Amino acid sequence: MRRTTLFTGLVFVLLCVVGVGFYRGWFVLATQGGNESGKVEVNLTVDSDKAKADAETVTEKARELTRGAAEAAEGNLSEPSEEGDTPEEGDGLEEGVKPEEDSDADVGSKPKDL
């Protein structure tokens, strides 16, 4: 059972890589010949330079995202420069403070008869 699952997973990953490769232009299929000779020549071209460039771009973007997330987690982001960017006490935007609700009205219920 584990081997079947592993094999299915590997086939899925391979198909994903091939699909992305054709979409991104890493692989190109070209055909020649046909009608007169009855033979068709199929050529597969692999653009390894383009694949490497795309891999470097993805790696760089991943580093930027992880660096930004790490800085945010450490609290190293710059403080807001303009007044009014931070919540003031009593404006209801503090953490854990919920906006006031009308206790007489239930959302989605019929109005009460007076």
Side-chain angles (χ1 to χ4, degrees):
M1 183 73 176
R2 288 182 81 183
R3 289 184 184 179
T4 305
T5 305
L6 179 64
F7 179 73
T8 304
L10 289 175
V11 169
F12 179 74
V13 169
L14 178 67
L15 289 174
C16 288
V17 169
V18 169
V20 169
F22 275 108
Y23 178 77
R24 297 290 301 162
W26 303 339
F27 313 119
V28 178
L29 278 178
T31 59
Q32 292 179 342
N35 296 341
E36 296 173 9
S37 65
K39 296 179 182 179
V40 177
E41 186 178 325
V42 178
N43 295 320
L44 174 66
T45 305
V46 179
D47 189 350
S48 61
D49 292 335
K50 187 168 187 172
K52 287 179 184 177
D54 285 349
E56 289 174 5
T57 302
V58 168
T59 303
E60 183 178 321
K61 287 190 179 192
R63 283 185 184 143
E64 289 175 11
L65 289 173
T66 55
R67 189 173 332 140
E71 288 175 357
E74 292 174 3
N76 291 339
L77 296 179
S78 62
E79 294 294 322
S81 58
E82 297 180 19
E83 289 185 28
D85 285 346
T86 58
E88 299 290 327
E89 278 192 45
D91 64 2
L93 297 177
E94 294 90 12
E95 191 173 316
V97 176
K98 296 181 181 178
E100 293 181 20
E101 296 180 15
D102 187 7
S103 60
D104 293 336
D106 292 330
V107 176
S109 65
K110 295 181 182 178
K112 297 178 182 179
D113 293 331
L114 296 177

